[in-house]
Each structure stands twice: as structure tokens, then as C-alpha cells.
Amino acid sequence: MGLTARVLAGDIFEEVAFRWGLMSLIAWLGSKLFRSTTDPVIWGSILLAASASALAHIPGAAAIGIQPTPALVTMSLVINLLAGTLFGWLFWQYGLLAAMIAHALFPVVWFPFEKRWVGTGEEPD
């Protein structure tokens, strides 16, 4: 998928699905379960939604022909979990648009690295 499609379709969809949808649902369920919307409830919803988002990236990589090695899966999960946590925090603090903008900037920074190493099949030095 090209950079424009990632920014306009993938990242916007992910924020709506995982932050606005899943994270909000988990936070709502947590607030009902614990009878309060506390910081631990919100952080739990951020981490659960970020974990689901990170896991959702693995089949996509395999679908475009990337061999899912243990190192690649680990790297993908860690990077996407960290990014998802940041986007979740931005959603919590500043709203959906802030999370969408940050998520849209992520592939702009990552794309040159991907083209360099994934596009050529080479490992980074």
C-alpha cells in the first residue's frame, strides 16, 4: 500500500476502529464494572486497544508477502504497541483528530525506512 493510501485510509480507519471504537468501548465497560472512570480504567483501555491494534498488523504484513519471522513479529508488536499507546493517550487527552494526525505522521516518518529495508529485502545495519 502506498504512502497516500496509508495516511488517508489505513490510519484514519485504525483510529476510528481502535481508539474511538474499541478503546471507548473498553473504557465504558470498565467504568460500568468499577463504577468510575479512573485513570487505571483509561490506561487499561488504552493498552488493550493498542495491543489489539498491534496484533492486527501481523496478518497485513503476511498478506503483502513479508515473511513473518519471530524478529519481525516482535518488532512489529513492540513498535505498534508503543505507537498505539501514544495514539490512545492523544485520543484521551485531545480527541480523535489529534490521534488521527499523529497516526498519519507515523508512516511519513517510517516509509523511507521501509522502502530501504523491506523493499530491497536487506536487513538494517
Side-chain angles (χ1 to χ4, degrees):
M1 186 183 304
L3 183 58
T4 303
R6 289 180 194 192
V7 170
L8 295 178
D11 296 340
I12 292 171
F13 169 78
E14 284 183 38
E15 289 311 307
V16 170
F18 289 105
R19 256 52 75 184
W20 185 76
L22 185 60
M23 183 183 141
S24 295
L25 175 64
I26 294 168
W28 178 77
L29 290 172
S31 72
K32 296 300 178 194
L33 180 65
F34 296 106
R35 298 178 191 244
S36 176
T37 306
T38 62
D39 284 355
V41 167
I42 298 299
W43 277 109
S45 67
I46 289 171
L47 293 173
L48 286 171
S51 298
S53 176
L55 288 169
H57 283 84
I58 303 302
I64 61 171
I66 298 172
Q67 182 65 30
T69 64
L72 177 73
V73 170
T74 301
M75 181 188 74
S76 178
L77 290 175
V78 168
I79 289 171
N80 285 300
L81 181 62
L82 291 172
T85 301
L86 171 64
F87 304 148
W89 179 82
L90 286 168
F91 173 63
W92 175 33
Q93 296 297 312
Y94 302 104
L96 185 60
L97 184 59
M100 286 178 168
I101 290 169
H103 201 149
L105 292 173
F106 188 81
V108 172
V109 173
W110 183 254
F111 197 71
F113 296 103
E114 182 177 313
K115 281 302 194 189
R116 166 69 172 95
W117 292 305
V118 176
T120 63
E122 295 177 21
E123 292 292 321
D125 297 328

